[in-house]
Amino acid sequence: MAKDVLCDVNSCKFWNAGNHCGAASIFVASNRGKRASVSAETDCRTFESKI
């Protein structure tokens, strides 16, 4: 698990000072169905394809 999970949306319920995310877990969603190739196709800027 990542030591530092960041949140860039300060209106998010889980946003903590210093842009840290206080959520217990992270959910990454694809904008193109079940497959994504690049981070722009997801809601996660740090997404990397396993392919």
Side-chain angles (χ1 to χ4, degrees):
M1 181 66 129
K3 184 170 69 173
D4 293 313
V5 179
L6 302 178
C7 180
D8 195 37
V9 183
N10 64 8
S11 59
C12 177
K13 172 181 175 178
F14 302 107
W15 183 87
N16 291 330
N19 288 349
H20 292 282
C21 179
S25 62
I26 301 298
F27 178 81
V28 178
S30 171
N31 297 326
R32 306 185 92 195
K34 293 288 183 182
R35 289 190 160 270
S37 299
V38 295
S39 62
E41 296 173 348
T42 73
D43 291 328
C44 178
R45 290 187 182 183
T46 56
F47 171 84
E48 291 184 20
S49 176
K50 65 179 181 178
I51 298 171

